[in-house]
Amino acid sequence: FVSLEGLADQRKTVGAKQTLKAMKRSEVTHLYIAYDSDEKVTAPLKALADQMGIPVDTTYTMTDLGVACRIKVKAAAVGLLT
């Protein structure tokens, strides 16, 4: 996994919907899911990640992920792209 500080410089998707779409296109190599995110939002991401063998990191909050991606809002999920 890339450190939180390194996320801003990576090719990535931010947000559950964008990340799920990218996962379905097999473009995501690593997945970050905020531990304080809504389970209804992130459950499909976790299920697909398990199915596809994508490693999942759940050590950060939504605020941490938003700041790391240099966006002004919180992020439930971030996917690193191939």
Side-chain angles (χ1 to χ4, degrees):
F1 280 95
V2 174
S3 70
L4 208 56
E5 296 78 32
L7 264 184
D9 302 325
Q10 298 291 317
R11 286 190 63 232
K12 63 190 168 298
T13 60
V14 181
K17 287 181 187 173
Q18 272 193 342
T19 303
L20 189 60
K21 286 178 189 172
M23 288 170 69
K24 289 178 178 175
R25 294 191 303 262
S26 299
E27 295 175 352
V28 175
T29 58
H30 292 82
L31 179 63
Y32 294 85
I33 294 179
Y35 66 78
D36 59 345
S37 59
D38 188 341
E39 185 65 30
K40 284 184 285 191
V41 173
T42 58
L45 293 166
K46 290 177 184 172
L48 191 57
D50 283 347
Q51 189 180 328
M52 297 179 77
I54 298 170
V56 179
D57 184 343
T58 57
T59 55
Y60 303 108
T61 65
M62 290 178 67
T63 303
D64 293 337
L65 293 178
V67 169
C69 293
R70 296 188 182 140
I71 60 173
K72 292 185 174 93
V73 293
K74 299 175 183 179
V78 176
L80 294 185
L81 300 175
T82 51

